[in-house]
Amino acid sequence: MPTASRHLVSNNIFDGPYYLSIAGKLVETKDTFEVFNPATATVLANAPAGTAEQLDEAVASAKKAFKSWSVLTYDQRQTYLNAFADALEVHRDELSRLLTLEQGKPLKTGAEPEVDQSISWIRQIAARRIPVEIIEDTDSHTVELHHTPLGVVGAITPWNFPVLLALWKVAPALLTGNTMVIKPSPFTPLTTLRFGQIAQSVFPAGVLSIVSGGNELGPQMTAHPDIAKISFTGSTETGKHVIRSAAGTVKRLTLEMGGNDAAIVLPDADWQAAIPQLFWGAIGNSGQWCVGTKRLYIHRSFHREFVDAFVAYAREQKLGDGLEPSVTVGPVQNKMQFDKVRTFLDDIKANGQKIVLGGDVDESRAGYFIPVTVVDNPPENSKIVQEEQFGPIVPIIVYDDVDDVVERANDSPFGLGGSVWGRDTQAAVAVANRLETGMVWVNEMHTQGVDIPFGGHKQSGVGTEGGHEGRLLFTNPKTVLIKK
Ligand code: NAD
């Protein structure tokens, strides 16, 4: 049985070198690729570039490990998961620092909460169970519904919350008896490689492997005959590739994809009190949040005062390197995203839309810094309203009529989350119930929990993570019919 004291990782490993984790071993690669610190735009470390053969080895070891892992009891797997959480906890400070270095988010308000939440999540999920259900029990017949593990799960993760979004997959997949291979984003592989290294001293060989490398490993995973399910978090465009590629082997899929969440602030809302939550809902993680508020709809009756107060709150924030304690907004994570977010600024300016804060990138500054930018009442059909900006720009859009704003909020191929704000809670809930989304918050923002399903409607997702519903998706519903 595992114990936290068994883990072999010393603190200085966080400085590198980095290894793949395959079949319980740390594995070197012939080639490496550069990982950048987004706050300085300099190379932070070289990450191992796993090959197609190494991915095959990881999948083969996961397949082998599945035989013994899947027959353990829930209690036994819980013990392993808790030991993993304990081992991560020992390295919580180093993991958080590394997360800031590779992702850019502020250490105290971004990275440490992400690592802490991940550890807590593992412990809480470890305590959950999926019991056998008796569907029918008569004198002559019993029908049972079991939820059996699927096999090897492939996890494909993005760069915005690299630790949390990976461990959201690890905990339920392993608890329910699956084994897993993770392919982290090439932009943020380091924290995943490190927690993978820690995992090797806790789990039996092959239960959890990490293979970093280029995007080409993704299609290899989605087509792999020995991977039973792909749990993917990333953009909708990539998710469509995953669906196509997974068809060949009829893989199970959970897809958490893009969003264009609307926040609707109703005429009776206590909007002054809501400003900090609305601000961080949009600008938290530098706007690189799948459920970030990407459209802020404000009733005309208080629009002007709202914009002034929102901008005043935004001016209190400090943009900079997430390791600096006073910094509250970090850089955009990578050069590709930095360039993409700038196309929104260019479009806003080219179309003469009104920028009331930010808008200009300081070209003399190293790092991928986009200032918090507020756009006042751009037209509904503008790029910043219609597309997912995934950066620190927020459009504040005026509306007059609640039916009309619900229609505008729903007029999107996305349907991830959203929020509604109003003093009359019942009326706000009635509006929330009309939004075509997977999640909607009323008078609060982004509350989450291990028993709360998290997922998207329309092109924002397939299936959910979290919640009993999310855990069930790591299992095969197997009906056992017994004649007495
Ligand atoms: P991305 O789609 O570019 O990459 C996601 C992952 O897919 C990476 O690991 C990448 O290497 C891999 N990949 C790339 N091509 C692939 C292919 N053909 N087949 C399989 N895998 C492939 O996304 P990103 O830029 O890393 O992340 C940002 C996007 O993720 C945003 O759209 C955001 O809304 C979304 N996101 C969604 C959620 C959610 O829970 N719904 C959470 C976080 C991020």
Side-chain angles (χ1 to χ4, degrees), residues 58 98 117 162 262 372:
L98 185 61
Q117 196 194 330
V372 173

Side-chain angles (χ1 to χ4, degrees), residues 172-188:
L174 268 49
L175 175 73
T176 48
N178 304 280
T179 56
M180 181 172 265
V181 178
I182 306 178
K183 190 210 81 61
S185 166
F187 292 115
T188 52

Side-chain angles (χ1 to χ4, degrees), residues 156-160 165 183-186 214-215 218-219 222 232-236 238 241-242 256-259 289-290 294 336-337 388 390 416 454 460 465:
I156 301 179
T157 56
W159 45 258
N160 56 345
L165 295 177
K183 190 210 81 61
S185 166
N215 283 341
T222 55
F232 168 84
T233 306
S235 64
T236 296
T238 308
H241 289 297
V242 172
E256 297 290 354
M257 305 189 283
W289 209 348
C290 54
K294 292 165 187 152
M336 188 197 71
Q337 189 64 21
E388 185 186 36
F390 222 62
L416 191 55
F454 183 104
S460 287
E465 294 198 289

Side-chain angles (χ1 to χ4, degrees), residues 432-455:
N433 288 341
R434 293 167 65 191
L435 293 184
E436 297 164 356
T437 61
M439 297 160 282
V440 58
W441 288 271
V442 177
N443 290 329
E444 62 173 355
M445 188 68 97
H446 296 160
T447 319
Q448 294 165 23
V450 294
D451 293 322
I452 301 172
F454 183 104

